[in-house]
């Protein structure tokens, strides 16, 4: 195991976008590959962010939810949502991310119509911000088309972007409304445990102790456990198990990766513990999950 004393925790970071009425959406198209480790801390933005995954697989952490992804897929991240992407070590992903100030981009809309879409529902499932064709057959294509319009910059491209974005937002709101469950969450406590979530996402294959996580968040162990249950519905150690088996599920998308290799690569010392936790979160064995995913490709 790595020595915990040499691991430097990353705080939750606010990354502001500089957008304006003249430039309501980012027009730089740069493909990037999120690293498999702690290359980027858990963060949030002051604007809307969209992304399209062209290849590869990995994990997306969104407001405490752990969502495995596999290309092609899209992501829609709203202002203030804590998030972080990690590629699979064996299958690096390639994304394009863009930012937009929706209130400036969609200025031609009736303000009442925009208010019906924004802000997003307070008690939706963050996992729905990662969208594959199985979730909605049109949204990933709409996001991809937005990127192509901005890349091409042909006559009237910004009007086309507005139409595509509005369609994607409307369809996404349907997904979010359908996923609502439980009471609305206060975002401040989630940001308070953000350093622990960021640390766990970077070091899930290591031995992690609750006192370490509590110290990162400057709170007692009891407060940390209470915040985790309130915000993500799991204890800190159960969240660690969910991270591990989710990372293993991503690794098992690679045919050459054996179940034993996936087990030990995410930090388990025994196959029995790995299999038990995998079944707990995925409802089947690692082998069963692999067969199930192979049939959907």
């Amino acid at each position: 195991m790595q020595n915990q004393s040499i691991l430097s925790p990353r705080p939750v970071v606010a990354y502001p976008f500089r957008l304006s009425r003249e430039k309501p959406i980012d027009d730089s198209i740069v493909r990037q590959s999120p690293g498999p480790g702690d290359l980027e801390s858990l963060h949030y933005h002051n604007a809307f962010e969209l992304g399209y995954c062209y290849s590869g697989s990995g994990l997306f952490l969104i407001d405490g939810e752990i969502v495995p992804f596999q290309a092609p897929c899209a992501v829609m991240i709203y202002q203030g949502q804590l998030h972080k992407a990690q590629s699979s070590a064996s299958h690096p992903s390639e994304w394009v991310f863009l930012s937009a100030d929706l209130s400036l981009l969609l200025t031609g809309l009736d303000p009442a119509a925009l208010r019906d879409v924004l802000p997003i529902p307070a008690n939706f499932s963050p996992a729905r911000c990662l969208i594959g064709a199985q979730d909605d057959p049109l949204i990933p294509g709409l996001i991809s088309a937005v990127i192509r319009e901005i890349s091409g910059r042909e006559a009237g491209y910004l009007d086309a972007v507005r139409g595509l974005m509005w369609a994607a937002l409307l369809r996404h709101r349907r997904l979010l409304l359908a996923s609502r469950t439980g009471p609305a969450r206060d975002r401040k406590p989630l940001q308070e445990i953000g350093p622990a979530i960021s640390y766990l996402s970077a070091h899930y294959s290591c031995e992690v102790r609750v006192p370490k996580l509590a110290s990162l968040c400057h709170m007692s162990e009891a407060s940390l456990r209470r915040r985790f249950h309130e915000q993500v519905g799991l204890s800190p150690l159960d969240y660690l198990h969910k991270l591990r088996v989710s990372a293993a599920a991503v690794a098992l998308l690679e045919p050459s990766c054996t179940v034993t290799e996936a087990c030990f690569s995410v930090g388990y010392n025994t196959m029995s513990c790995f299999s038990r936790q995998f079944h707990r979160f995925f409802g089947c064995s690692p082998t069963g999950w692999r067969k199930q995913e192979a049939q959907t490709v």
Side-chain angles (χ1 to χ4, degrees), residues 23-75:
K23 187 181 179 181
I25 188 166
D26 182 12
D27 59 3
S28 58
I29 306 296
V30 179
R31 295 203 181 196
Q32 53 185 287
S33 180
D38 191 23
L39 301 183
E40 189 175 22
S41 60
L42 199 65
H43 61 280
Y44 61 95
H45 302 295
N46 63 340
F48 174 77
E49 184 177 38
L50 60 89
Y52 186 82
C53 182
Y54 293 89
S55 62
S57 59
L59 295 176
F60 231 111
L61 278 72
I62 307 173
D63 276 353
E65 282 286 329
I66 306 157
V67 194
F69 68 81
Q70 184 176 20
C73 61
V75 68

Short mmCIF file of all heavy atoms in Angstrom, two decimals, residues 23-75:
data_model
loop_
_atom_site.label_atom_id
_atom_site.label_comp_id
_atom_site.label_asym_id
_atom_site.label_seq_id
_atom_site.Cartn_x
_atom_site.Cartn_y
_atom_site.Cartn_z
N LYS A 23 -19.47 36.73 -26.62
CA LYS A 23 -18.97 35.36 -26.68
C LYS A 23 -19.68 34.53 -25.60
O LYS A 23 -19.11 34.22 -24.56
CB LYS A 23 -17.46 35.33 -26.47
CG LYS A 23 -16.83 33.95 -26.68
CD LYS A 23 -15.32 34.00 -26.43
CE LYS A 23 -14.70 32.61 -26.61
NZ LYS A 23 -13.24 32.63 -26.36
N PRO A 24 -20.95 34.14 -25.87
CA PRO A 24 -21.72 33.42 -24.84
C PRO A 24 -21.35 31.94 -24.72
O PRO A 24 -21.77 31.29 -23.77
CB PRO A 24 -23.16 33.58 -25.32
CG PRO A 24 -23.03 33.68 -26.81
CD PRO A 24 -21.75 34.44 -27.06
N ILE A 25 -20.58 31.41 -25.70
CA ILE A 25 -20.17 30.02 -25.65
C ILE A 25 -18.71 29.90 -26.08
O ILE A 25 -18.25 30.65 -26.96
CB ILE A 25 -21.07 29.13 -26.55
CG1 ILE A 25 -20.77 27.64 -26.34
CG2 ILE A 25 -20.95 29.51 -28.02
CD1 ILE A 25 -21.83 26.71 -26.91
N ASP A 26 -17.99 29.04 -25.43
CA ASP A 26 -16.58 28.82 -25.75
C ASP A 26 -16.46 28.29 -27.18
O ASP A 26 -17.17 27.37 -27.57
CB ASP A 26 -16.01 27.79 -24.77
CG ASP A 26 -14.53 27.53 -24.98
OD1 ASP A 26 -13.89 28.30 -25.71
OD2 ASP A 26 -14.03 26.55 -24.40
N ASP A 27 -15.58 28.91 -27.96
CA ASP A 27 -15.45 28.48 -29.37
C ASP A 27 -14.12 27.78 -29.64
O ASP A 27 -13.71 27.65 -30.79
CB ASP A 27 -15.62 29.67 -30.31
CG ASP A 27 -14.62 30.78 -30.05
OD1 ASP A 27 -13.73 30.61 -29.18
OD2 ASP A 27 -14.71 31.83 -30.73
N SER A 28 -13.45 27.33 -28.59
CA SER A 28 -12.19 26.60 -28.79
C SER A 28 -12.48 25.10 -28.70
O SER A 28 -13.01 24.62 -27.70
CB SER A 28 -11.16 26.99 -27.72
OG SER A 28 -11.67 26.74 -26.43
N ILE A 29 -12.17 24.39 -29.75
CA ILE A 29 -12.42 22.95 -29.80
C ILE A 29 -11.09 22.22 -29.59
O ILE A 29 -10.23 22.19 -30.48
CB ILE A 29 -13.03 22.53 -31.16
CG1 ILE A 29 -14.29 23.36 -31.45
CG2 ILE A 29 -13.33 21.04 -31.16
CD1 ILE A 29 -15.42 23.14 -30.48
N VAL A 30 -10.91 21.68 -28.41
CA VAL A 30 -9.67 20.97 -28.07
C VAL A 30 -10.03 19.61 -27.50
O VAL A 30 -10.77 19.51 -26.52
CB VAL A 30 -8.85 21.76 -27.03
CG1 VAL A 30 -7.58 20.99 -26.68
CG2 VAL A 30 -8.51 23.15 -27.55
N ARG A 31 -9.54 18.56 -28.14
CA ARG A 31 -9.76 17.22 -27.61
C ARG A 31 -8.80 16.97 -26.45
O ARG A 31 -7.63 17.31 -26.52
CB ARG A 31 -9.59 16.16 -28.70
CG ARG A 31 -10.63 16.27 -29.79
CD ARG A 31 -10.82 14.96 -30.53
NE ARG A 31 -11.80 15.07 -31.59
CZ ARG A 31 -12.38 14.04 -32.19
NH1 ARG A 31 -12.06 12.80 -31.83
NH2 ARG A 31 -13.26 14.21 -33.15
N GLN A 32 -9.31 16.38 -25.39
CA GLN A 32 -8.48 16.12 -24.22
C GLN A 32 -8.82 14.77 -23.63
O GLN A 32 -9.93 14.24 -23.80
CB GLN A 32 -8.68 17.22 -23.17
CG GLN A 32 -10.12 17.47 -22.78
CD GLN A 32 -10.24 18.66 -21.84
OE1 GLN A 32 -9.88 18.57 -20.67
NE2 GLN A 32 -10.73 19.77 -22.36
N SER A 33 -7.85 14.21 -22.92
CA SER A 33 -8.01 12.90 -22.30
C SER A 33 -7.80 13.03 -20.80
O SER A 33 -6.66 13.23 -20.35
CB SER A 33 -7.01 11.90 -22.88
OG SER A 33 -7.17 10.63 -22.28
N PRO A 34 -8.88 12.97 -20.00
CA PRO A 34 -8.71 13.02 -18.54
C PRO A 34 -7.83 11.89 -18.07
O PRO A 34 -7.95 10.75 -18.54
CB PRO A 34 -10.14 12.86 -18.01
CG PRO A 34 -11.03 13.25 -19.16
CD PRO A 34 -10.29 12.83 -20.39
N GLY A 35 -6.91 12.17 -17.15
CA GLY A 35 -5.99 11.15 -16.68
C GLY A 35 -6.66 10.12 -15.80
O GLY A 35 -7.74 10.35 -15.26
N PRO A 36 -6.02 8.96 -15.61
CA PRO A 36 -6.58 7.92 -14.75
C PRO A 36 -6.39 8.20 -13.27
O PRO A 36 -7.03 7.60 -12.43
CB PRO A 36 -5.79 6.67 -15.17
CG PRO A 36 -4.49 7.21 -15.64
CD PRO A 36 -4.80 8.53 -16.30
N GLY A 37 -5.50 9.14 -12.94
CA GLY A 37 -5.24 9.44 -11.54
C GLY A 37 -5.73 10.82 -11.15
O GLY A 37 -6.64 11.37 -11.76
N ASP A 38 -5.10 11.38 -10.14
CA ASP A 38 -5.55 12.67 -9.60
C ASP A 38 -4.93 13.82 -10.37
O ASP A 38 -4.21 14.66 -9.83
CB ASP A 38 -5.17 12.77 -8.11
CG ASP A 38 -5.85 13.95 -7.44
OD1 ASP A 38 -6.88 14.42 -7.93
OD2 ASP A 38 -5.32 14.40 -6.42
N LEU A 39 -5.18 13.87 -11.68
CA LEU A 39 -4.62 14.95 -12.49
C LEU A 39 -5.46 16.20 -12.39
O LEU A 39 -5.01 17.30 -12.70
CB LEU A 39 -4.55 14.51 -13.97
CG LEU A 39 -3.69 13.28 -14.24
CD1 LEU A 39 -3.64 13.00 -15.74
CD2 LEU A 39 -2.28 13.47 -13.70
N GLU A 40 -6.69 16.05 -11.96
CA GLU A 40 -7.58 17.20 -11.86
C GLU A 40 -8.45 17.01 -10.63
O GLU A 40 -9.04 15.96 -10.42
CB GLU A 40 -8.44 17.30 -13.11
CG GLU A 40 -9.24 18.57 -13.21
CD GLU A 40 -9.99 18.65 -14.53
OE1 GLU A 40 -10.22 17.59 -15.14
OE2 GLU A 40 -10.36 19.76 -14.92
N SER A 41 -8.52 18.03 -9.78
CA SER A 41 -9.29 17.90 -8.55
C SER A 41 -10.77 18.06 -8.83
O SER A 41 -11.20 18.56 -9.87
CB SER A 41 -8.82 18.95 -7.54
OG SER A 41 -9.02 20.24 -8.08
N LEU A 42 -11.57 17.64 -7.86
CA LEU A 42 -13.00 17.86 -7.92
C LEU A 42 -13.24 19.36 -8.01
O LEU A 42 -12.65 20.14 -7.26
CB LEU A 42 -13.64 17.28 -6.66
CG LEU A 42 -15.12 16.99 -6.67
CD1 LEU A 42 -15.47 15.90 -7.66
CD2 LEU A 42 -15.58 16.60 -5.26
N HIS A 43 -14.10 19.79 -8.94
CA HIS A 43 -14.26 21.22 -9.16
C HIS A 43 -15.67 21.55 -9.62
O HIS A 43 -16.49 20.67 -9.86
CB HIS A 43 -13.24 21.71 -10.19
CG HIS A 43 -13.40 21.08 -11.54
ND1 HIS A 43 -12.91 19.82 -11.84
CD2 HIS A 43 -14.01 21.51 -12.68
CE1 HIS A 43 -13.19 19.52 -13.10
NE2 HIS A 43 -13.87 20.52 -13.62
N TYR A 44 -15.95 22.85 -9.72
CA TYR A 44 -17.23 23.31 -10.23
C TYR A 44 -17.01 24.61 -11.00
O TYR A 44 -15.94 25.23 -10.93
CB TYR A 44 -18.24 23.51 -9.10
CG TYR A 44 -17.85 24.54 -8.05
CD1 TYR A 44 -18.29 25.86 -8.13
CD2 TYR A 44 -17.05 24.18 -6.96
CE1 TYR A 44 -17.94 26.79 -7.16
CE2 TYR A 44 -16.69 25.10 -5.99
CZ TYR A 44 -17.15 26.39 -6.09
OH TYR A 44 -16.79 27.32 -5.14
N HIS A 45 -18.02 25.00 -11.78
CA HIS A 45 -17.90 26.16 -12.65
C HIS A 45 -19.03 27.18 -12.39
O HIS A 45 -20.03 26.85 -11.75
CB HIS A 45 -17.97 25.74 -14.13
CG HIS A 45 -16.93 24.75 -14.53
ND1 HIS A 45 -15.58 25.04 -14.52
CD2 HIS A 45 -17.03 23.46 -14.95
CE1 HIS A 45 -14.90 23.97 -14.92
NE2 HIS A 45 -15.76 23.00 -15.19
N ASN A 46 -18.84 28.36 -12.92
CA ASN A 46 -19.85 29.42 -12.83
C ASN A 46 -20.76 29.44 -14.05
O ASN A 46 -21.50 30.40 -14.26
CB ASN A 46 -19.17 30.78 -12.66
CG ASN A 46 -18.31 31.14 -13.86
OD1 ASN A 46 -17.91 30.26 -14.63
ND2 ASN A 46 -18.01 32.42 -14.02
N ALA A 47 -20.70 28.41 -14.88
CA ALA A 47 -21.50 28.36 -16.10
C ALA A 47 -21.83 26.91 -16.43
O ALA A 47 -21.43 25.98 -15.72
CB ALA A 47 -20.74 29.03 -17.26
N PHE A 48 -22.55 26.73 -17.52
CA PHE A 48 -22.93 25.40 -18.00
C PHE A 48 -21.76 24.80 -18.78
O PHE A 48 -21.06 25.50 -19.50
CB PHE A 48 -24.16 25.55 -18.90
CG PHE A 48 -24.61 24.30 -19.59
CD1 PHE A 48 -25.31 23.33 -18.90
CD2 PHE A 48 -24.34 24.10 -20.93
CE1 PHE A 48 -25.74 22.17 -19.55
CE2 PHE A 48 -24.76 22.96 -21.59
CZ PHE A 48 -25.46 21.99 -20.89
N GLU A 49 -21.56 23.49 -18.63
CA GLU A 49 -20.51 22.80 -19.38
C GLU A 49 -21.11 21.58 -20.07
O GLU A 49 -21.90 20.84 -19.48
CB GLU A 49 -19.38 22.36 -18.46
CG GLU A 49 -18.20 21.72 -19.21
CD GLU A 49 -17.05 21.35 -18.28
OE1 GLU A 49 -17.32 20.90 -17.15
OE2 GLU A 49 -15.90 21.50 -18.70
N LEU A 50 -20.76 21.40 -21.33
CA LEU A 50 -21.20 20.21 -22.05
C LEU A 50 -19.96 19.51 -22.60
O LEU A 50 -18.91 20.11 -22.80
CB LEU A 50 -22.16 20.58 -23.18
CG LEU A 50 -21.65 21.53 -24.29
CD1 LEU A 50 -20.99 20.75 -25.43
CD2 LEU A 50 -22.80 22.36 -24.84
N GLY A 51 -20.10 18.22 -22.82
CA GLY A 51 -18.96 17.46 -23.32
C GLY A 51 -19.43 16.28 -24.15
O GLY A 51 -20.54 15.77 -23.97
N TYR A 52 -18.57 15.84 -25.05
CA TYR A 52 -18.86 14.67 -25.87
C TYR A 52 -17.64 13.76 -25.86
O TYR A 52 -16.51 14.22 -26.08
CB TYR A 52 -19.21 15.07 -27.30
CG TYR A 52 -19.66 13.90 -28.16
CD1 TYR A 52 -20.97 13.45 -28.10
CD2 TYR A 52 -18.76 13.23 -28.99
CE1 TYR A 52 -21.39 12.37 -28.87
CE2 TYR A 52 -19.18 12.14 -29.76
CZ TYR A 52 -20.50 11.72 -29.68
OH TYR A 52 -20.91 10.64 -30.44
N CYS A 53 -17.88 12.47 -25.57
CA CYS A 53 -16.79 11.49 -25.52
C CYS A 53 -16.73 10.73 -26.83
O CYS A 53 -17.71 10.07 -27.22
CB CYS A 53 -17.03 10.53 -24.34
SG CYS A 53 -15.72 9.31 -24.14
N TYR A 54 -15.58 10.81 -27.52
CA TYR A 54 -15.41 10.19 -28.83
C TYR A 54 -14.87 8.76 -28.74
O TYR A 54 -15.11 7.95 -29.64
CB TYR A 54 -14.46 11.04 -29.69
CG TYR A 54 -15.04 12.37 -30.05
CD1 TYR A 54 -14.88 13.48 -29.22
CD2 TYR A 54 -15.77 12.54 -31.23
CE1 TYR A 54 -15.43 14.72 -29.55
CE2 TYR A 54 -16.33 13.77 -31.57
CZ TYR A 54 -16.15 14.85 -30.73
OH TYR A 54 -16.70 16.07 -31.05
N SER A 55 -14.11 8.48 -27.69
CA SER A 55 -13.52 7.15 -27.58
C SER A 55 -13.14 6.88 -26.13
O SER A 55 -13.05 7.80 -25.31
CB SER A 55 -12.27 7.03 -28.47
OG SER A 55 -11.28 7.96 -28.06
N GLY A 56 -12.93 5.59 -25.82
CA GLY A 56 -12.44 5.22 -24.51
C GLY A 56 -13.54 5.03 -23.47
O GLY A 56 -14.73 5.01 -23.77
N SER A 57 -13.11 4.91 -22.21
CA SER A 57 -14.03 4.67 -21.11
C SER A 57 -13.43 5.25 -19.84
O SER A 57 -12.28 5.69 -19.81
CB SER A 57 -14.29 3.17 -20.94
OG SER A 57 -13.06 2.48 -20.71
N GLY A 58 -14.20 5.23 -18.76
CA GLY A 58 -13.71 5.76 -17.50
C GLY A 58 -14.84 5.99 -16.52
O GLY A 58 -15.91 5.37 -16.61
N LEU A 59 -14.59 6.87 -15.56
CA LEU A 59 -15.56 7.22 -14.53
C LEU A 59 -15.80 8.72 -14.54
O LEU A 59 -14.87 9.50 -14.75
CB LEU A 59 -15.05 6.83 -13.14
CG LEU A 59 -14.83 5.36 -12.81
CD1 LEU A 59 -14.25 5.24 -11.41
CD2 LEU A 59 -16.13 4.59 -12.91
N PHE A 60 -17.04 9.11 -14.29
CA PHE A 60 -17.38 10.51 -14.07
C PHE A 60 -17.95 10.62 -12.66
O PHE A 60 -18.84 9.84 -12.29
CB PHE A 60 -18.41 11.01 -15.08
CG PHE A 60 -18.01 12.29 -15.76
CD1 PHE A 60 -17.68 12.31 -17.10
CD2 PHE A 60 -17.97 13.48 -15.06
CE1 PHE A 60 -17.31 13.49 -17.74
CE2 PHE A 60 -17.60 14.66 -15.67
CZ PHE A 60 -17.27 14.67 -17.02
N LEU A 61 -17.43 11.52 -11.86
CA LEU A 61 -17.99 11.81 -10.55
C LEU A 61 -18.78 13.10 -10.66
O LEU A 61 -18.25 14.14 -11.06
CB LEU A 61 -16.88 11.99 -9.50
CG LEU A 61 -16.30 10.71 -8.89
CD1 LEU A 61 -15.44 9.98 -9.90
CD2 LEU A 61 -15.48 11.04 -7.66
N ILE A 62 -20.07 13.04 -10.35
CA ILE A 62 -20.94 14.21 -10.47
C ILE A 62 -21.77 14.33 -9.20
O ILE A 62 -22.61 13.47 -8.90
CB ILE A 62 -21.88 14.10 -11.69
CG1 ILE A 62 -21.08 13.82 -12.96
CG2 ILE A 62 -22.70 15.38 -11.85
CD1 ILE A 62 -21.95 13.53 -14.18
N ASP A 63 -21.52 15.37 -8.43
CA ASP A 63 -22.27 15.61 -7.19
C ASP A 63 -22.36 14.36 -6.32
O ASP A 63 -23.42 14.01 -5.80
CB ASP A 63 -23.67 16.14 -7.49
CG ASP A 63 -23.68 17.65 -7.72
OD1 ASP A 63 -22.63 18.28 -7.49
OD2 ASP A 63 -24.73 18.19 -8.11
N GLY A 64 -21.24 13.67 -6.17
CA GLY A 64 -21.19 12.50 -5.30
C GLY A 64 -21.58 11.20 -5.95
O GLY A 64 -21.38 10.14 -5.36
N GLU A 65 -22.15 11.25 -7.15
CA GLU A 65 -22.51 10.03 -7.88
C GLU A 65 -21.33 9.55 -8.71
O GLU A 65 -20.62 10.36 -9.31
CB GLU A 65 -23.71 10.28 -8.80
CG GLU A 65 -25.04 10.30 -8.08
CD GLU A 65 -25.50 8.93 -7.65
OE1 GLU A 65 -25.17 7.94 -8.35
OE2 GLU A 65 -26.18 8.84 -6.62
N ILE A 66 -21.13 8.23 -8.77
CA ILE A 66 -20.06 7.63 -9.54
C ILE A 66 -20.69 6.97 -10.75
O ILE A 66 -21.49 6.04 -10.62
CB ILE A 66 -19.30 6.59 -8.71
CG1 ILE A 66 -18.80 7.22 -7.39
CG2 ILE A 66 -18.13 6.00 -9.50
CD1 ILE A 66 -18.54 6.21 -6.31
N VAL A 67 -20.35 7.44 -11.94
CA VAL A 67 -21.00 6.97 -13.16
C VAL A 67 -19.95 6.44 -14.14
O VAL A 67 -19.18 7.22 -14.70
CB VAL A 67 -21.80 8.10 -13.84
CG1 VAL A 67 -22.74 7.52 -14.89
CG2 VAL A 67 -22.58 8.92 -12.83
N PRO A 68 -19.90 5.13 -14.37
CA PRO A 68 -19.00 4.61 -15.42
C PRO A 68 -19.49 5.08 -16.79
O PRO A 68 -20.69 5.19 -17.03
CB PRO A 68 -19.14 3.09 -15.28
CG PRO A 68 -19.71 2.86 -13.92
CD PRO A 68 -20.58 4.04 -13.65
N PHE A 69 -18.57 5.38 -17.69
CA PHE A 69 -18.96 5.78 -19.03
C PHE A 69 -18.15 5.02 -20.08
O PHE A 69 -17.05 4.55 -19.81
CB PHE A 69 -18.80 7.29 -19.24
CG PHE A 69 -17.37 7.78 -19.24
CD1 PHE A 69 -16.56 7.68 -20.38
CD2 PHE A 69 -16.83 8.38 -18.11
CE1 PHE A 69 -15.25 8.14 -20.38
CE2 PHE A 69 -15.52 8.85 -18.10
CZ PHE A 69 -14.73 8.73 -19.23
N GLN A 70 -18.72 4.91 -21.25
CA GLN A 70 -18.06 4.31 -22.40
C GLN A 70 -18.51 5.07 -23.64
O GLN A 70 -19.69 5.36 -23.81
CB GLN A 70 -18.40 2.83 -22.52
CG GLN A 70 -17.66 2.11 -23.65
CD GLN A 70 -17.96 0.63 -23.68
OE1 GLN A 70 -18.97 0.18 -23.15
NE2 GLN A 70 -17.09 -0.15 -24.30
N ALA A 71 -17.57 5.43 -24.51
CA ALA A 71 -17.90 6.18 -25.72
C ALA A 71 -18.78 5.35 -26.64
O ALA A 71 -18.68 4.11 -26.66
CB ALA A 71 -16.62 6.58 -26.45
N PRO A 72 -19.67 6.01 -27.40
CA PRO A 72 -19.92 7.45 -27.41
C PRO A 72 -20.94 7.83 -26.34
O PRO A 72 -21.88 7.08 -26.08
CB PRO A 72 -20.48 7.69 -28.81
CG PRO A 72 -21.20 6.41 -29.13
CD PRO A 72 -20.41 5.31 -28.46
N CYS A 73 -20.76 9.00 -25.74
CA CYS A 73 -21.71 9.50 -24.76
C CYS A 73 -21.49 11.00 -24.60
O CYS A 73 -20.55 11.56 -25.15
CB CYS A 73 -21.55 8.79 -23.41
SG CYS A 73 -19.92 9.00 -22.66
N ALA A 74 -22.39 11.64 -23.87
CA ALA A 74 -22.29 13.08 -23.66
C ALA A 74 -22.48 13.37 -22.18
O ALA A 74 -22.99 12.53 -21.42
CB ALA A 74 -23.34 13.82 -24.49
N VAL A 75 -22.08 14.57 -21.77
CA VAL A 75 -22.29 15.00 -20.39
C VAL A 75 -22.81 16.43 -20.41
O VAL A 75 -22.41 17.24 -21.26
CB VAL A 75 -20.98 14.88 -19.57
CG1 VAL A 75 -19.94 15.90 -20.03
CG2 VAL A 75 -21.25 15.04 -18.08
#
